[in-house]
């Protein structure tokens, strides 16, 4: 029916005539020329084909006996509709989601059909064309149980939860792919968590829990869709995440200082450790200072936070306090040093001290977050599957002689060349303790058996620093063996572990015609979320928070706003 209507409307605009709808229902569609009372014979009659949804044209008189000049100059001419814009997009951009902007659609429709549409009409038509490919937002909620069933069928071990309210309306969603759950067992136990806004009509928040693989790539673990960053939503998400990643003292979380998030982690994961993103904290610290270079304040704070040893930290922090007392007052009153200082953090945080990994993932899905629910999840699953295929291929193509992941392997080669220049003194050969003199003349004690070094890089990063490599070279020279650096690195940096993390393949959900869903799953009812329609166009760009680059200052009201150029009130 809609296809017939679009066809008639396009022909009317293109051939400069007007029509009236005589009858339009579920079975019949009849239109005539607006001049039919004056004898014009143009008409079209389309009827439904039995019990199907298709229509066929039964009668069509294509000859106009009226004057086109009369109809083309009518005052009440038919305007362009969103369906008209969508039909033009289907012809010019078939099966494409990324279509021209509404501003560029206006001249395109005018050249194709001969009618000028408004910006809002072009925008609505663009959305209708996208809904034809991705489905409407309401359809996503209706099919969420069926989609999750197929996601679990295609990827064994996948865990998903759908939470509804009392009225059977959608509330929360959680899913974690089986390949990610299994692969995380081979990764470092550090989880970065953050939330970002969803840009579709129903809004909400997308929560991402991700890790970082040893080669410094994104490794998503779980995703959640909730109504906002509140106590209840964060607690619900972490309670479901606990079924995937159990609580243990080895586990570490890294996030911003959202109070609901902090409270939920303390409640659901009491055994784990929680560190704050030092970049987010640096933006808050620099705002506490006045009449200084705030960017320099943030840089100096980051230097303090990244110090490996307590003496180095105390020296840098004492200078920071002296130069910026207001910043130190803010830190002492609001944040404990064990939450941001690398040398005082109680857990194994490795090199992860910011939420850059999850922020980058949010940027990858910036367009997908404007899709309806299921197409958004589809885009997420496809991207994660692409990453898994890419890094699995790289890990399998790496020579067998290479024992460490590419990032650490390159770093070790660089440090080996630097270690050859450092003098080494043997202290205790039985315990494999060595004294290494650094470039600055400082002495560092390295214990190769316990894998520790006085500079603490060896202890925190879990791969040897330049002093440990120099000591290992001396130990290998004394024993008459070759140095084996991979034995000094954590197992999480071995190629075997890295390949194990990407061993499984992630499969996307097939098209709907191939779904095989049980009747009990298909019978589950999920209603769309309730929302209030706001006037105006929905914003698509995030508003920068205080302290961010690019934030515009509010303009002060002009003192002459109430007066004209001659000084009199307007």
């Amino acid at each position: 029916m809609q296809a017939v209507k679009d066809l008639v409307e396009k022909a009317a605009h293109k051939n400069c005539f007007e029509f009236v709808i005589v009858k339009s229902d579920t079975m019949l569609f009849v239109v005539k020329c607006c001049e039919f009372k004056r004898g014009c014979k143009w008409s079209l009659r389309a009827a439904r084909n039995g019990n199907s949804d298709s229509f066929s044209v039964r009668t069509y008189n294509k000859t106009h006996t009226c004057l086109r000049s009369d109809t083309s100059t009518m005052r009440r001419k038919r305007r362009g509709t969103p369906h008209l814009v969508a039909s033009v997009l289907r012809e010019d951009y078939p099966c494409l989601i990324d279509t021209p902007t509404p501003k560029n659609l206006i001249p395109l429709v005018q050249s194709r059909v001969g009618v000028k549409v408004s910006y809002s009409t072009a925008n609505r038509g663009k959305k209708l064309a996208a809904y034809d490919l991705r489905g409407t937002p309401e359809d996503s909620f209706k099919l969420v149980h069926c989609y999750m069933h197929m996601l679990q069928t295609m990827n064994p071990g996948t865990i998903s939860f759908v939470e509804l309210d009392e009225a059977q309306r959608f509330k929360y969603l959680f899913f974690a792919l089986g390949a990610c759950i299994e692969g995380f067992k081979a990764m470092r136990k550090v989880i970065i968590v953050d939330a970002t806004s969803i840009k579709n009509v129903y809004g909400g928040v997308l929560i991402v829990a991700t890790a970082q693989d040893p080669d410094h790539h994104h490794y998503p673990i779980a995703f959640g869709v909730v109504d906002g960053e509140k106590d209840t939503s964060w607690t619900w998400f972490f309670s479901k995440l606990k079924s995937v990643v159990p609580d243990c003292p080895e586990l570490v979380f890294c996030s911003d200082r959202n109070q609901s998030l902090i409270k939920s982690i303390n409640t659901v994961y009491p055994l784990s450790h929680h560190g704050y993103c030092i970049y987010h904290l640096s933006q808050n610290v620099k705002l506490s200072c006045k009449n200084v270079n705030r960017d320099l304040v943030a840089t100096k704070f980051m230097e303090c936070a990244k110090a490996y040893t307590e003496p180095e930290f105390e020296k840098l922090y004492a200078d920071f306090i002296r130069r910026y007392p207001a910043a130190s007052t803010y830190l002492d009153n609001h944040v404990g040093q064990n939450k941001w200082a690398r040398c005082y953090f109680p857990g194994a945080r490795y090199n992860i001290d910011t939420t850059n990994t999850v922020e980058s993932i949010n940027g990858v899905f910036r367009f997908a977050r404007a899709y309806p629910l299921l197409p958004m999840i589809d885009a997420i699953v496809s991207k994660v599957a692409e990453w898994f295929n890419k890094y699995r291929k790289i890990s399998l193509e790496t020579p067998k002689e290479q024992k460490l992941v590419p990032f650490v392997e390159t770093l070790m080669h660089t440090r080996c060349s630097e270690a050859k220049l450092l003098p080494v003194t043997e202290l205790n050969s039985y315990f494999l303790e060595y004294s290494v003199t650094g470039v600055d003349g400082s002495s560092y004690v390295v214990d190769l058996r316990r894998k520790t070094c006085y500079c603490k890089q060896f202890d925190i990063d879990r791969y040897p620093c330049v002093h440990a490599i120099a000591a290992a070279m001396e130990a290998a020279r004394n024993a008459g063996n070759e140095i084996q650096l991979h034995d000094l690195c954590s197992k999480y940096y071995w190629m075997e572990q890295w390949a194990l993390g990407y061993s499984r393949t992630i499969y996307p959900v097939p098209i709907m015609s191939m779904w095989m869903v049980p009747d009990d799953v298909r019978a589950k009812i999920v209603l769309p979320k309730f929302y209030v329609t706001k006037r105006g166009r929905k914003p698509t760009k995030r508003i920068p928070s205080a302290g961010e680059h690019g934030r515009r200052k509010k303009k002060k009201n002009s003192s002459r706003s109430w007066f004209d150029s001659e000084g009199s009130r307007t």
Side-chain angles (χ1 to χ4, degrees), residues 162-286:
V162 179
E163 184 82 7
L164 308 179
D165 60 10
E166 298 80 2
Q168 297 299 308
R169 293 186 179 273
F170 178 87
K171 190 175 181 182
Y172 303 140
L173 171 67
F174 173 93
F175 72 95
L177 298 171
C180 298
I181 298 172
E182 184 176 333
F184 180 67
K185 298 177 182 177
M187 297 291 166
R188 296 169 292 174
K189 300 301 179 286
V190 182
I191 299 178
I192 308 103
V193 186
D194 195 17
T196 183
S197 59
I198 297 175
K199 302 297 184 180
N200 59 34
V201 65
Y202 287 98
V205 169
L206 174 67
I207 299 178
V208 182
T210 181
Q212 186 188 72
D213 76 358
D215 205 41
H216 290 200
H217 300 299
H218 311 319
Y219 196 88
I221 305 170
F223 296 88
V225 177
V226 297
D227 54 357
E229 296 190 64
K230 302 182 294 186
D231 293 355
T232 54
S233 56
W234 275 117
T235 303
W236 184 89
F237 175 80
F238 282 115
S239 64
K240 302 307 177 186
L241 182 65
K242 196 172 183 179
S243 63
V244 175
V245 182
D247 188 17
C248 65
E250 185 184 3
L251 188 63
V252 172
F253 284 96
C254 180
S255 69
D256 56 21
R257 293 177 57 246
N258 181 282
Q259 296 304 310
S260 298
L261 189 153
I262 296 172
K263 187 187 302 182
S264 300
I265 291 179
N266 294 335
T267 303
V268 183
Y269 284 93
L271 300 179
S272 66
H273 302 284
H274 187 193
Y276 299 150
C277 171
I278 61 174
Y279 175 78
H280 283 86
L281 192 55
S282 68
Q283 303 306 301
N284 294 336
V285 168
K286 74 178 186 180

Side-chain angles (χ1 to χ4, degrees), residues 2-17:
Q2 188 59 48
V4 176
K5 291 181 179 179
D6 294 342
L7 188 63
V8 172
E9 187 177 1
K10 286 178 64 176
H13 287 296
K14 197 169 185 179
N15 298 315
C16 298
F17 70 89

Side-chain angles (χ1 to χ4, degrees), residues 478-494:
N478 295 338
N481 301 324
E482 294 184 1
I483 183 173
Q484 301 292 335
L485 289 179
H486 68 276
D487 291 332
L488 298 176
C489 296
S490 170
K491 66 176 183 178
Y492 295 120
Y493 297 107
W494 292 0

Side-chain angles (χ1 to χ4, degrees), residues 17-18 34-35 69-77:
F17 70 89
E18 293 294 324
C34 66
E35 300 290 336
S69 59
D70 295 339
T71 55
S72 61
T73 57
M74 291 177 60
R75 290 186 176 181
R76 296 184 179 181
K77 291 186 64 177

Side-chain angles (χ1 to χ4, degrees), residues 500-516:
L500 191 61
Y502 295 101
S503 59
R504 286 185 53 181
T505 303
I506 297 175
Y507 298 95
V509 175
I511 59 176
M512 195 180 303
S513 60
M514 300 176 62
W515 289 9
M516 298 181 63

Side-chain angles (χ1 to χ4, degrees), residues 378-393:
D378 230 15
I380 292 173
V381 173
S382 299
K383 179 57 70 173
V384 177
E386 179 186 334
W387 289 339
F388 264 63
N389 294 337
K390 177 182 178 181
Y391 298 126
R392 180 171 56 252
K393 181 180 179 181

Side-chain angles (χ1 to χ4, degrees), residues 10 85-96 98-100 104-105 107-109 111-113:
K10 286 178 64 176
V85 178
S87 64
V88 172
L89 288 176
R90 293 190 203 103
E91 291 182 359
D92 287 25
Y93 301 91
C95 301
L96 291 181
D98 295 331
T99 54
N104 294 329
L105 278 178
L108 176 65
V109 174
S111 63
R112 292 288 186 275
V113 186

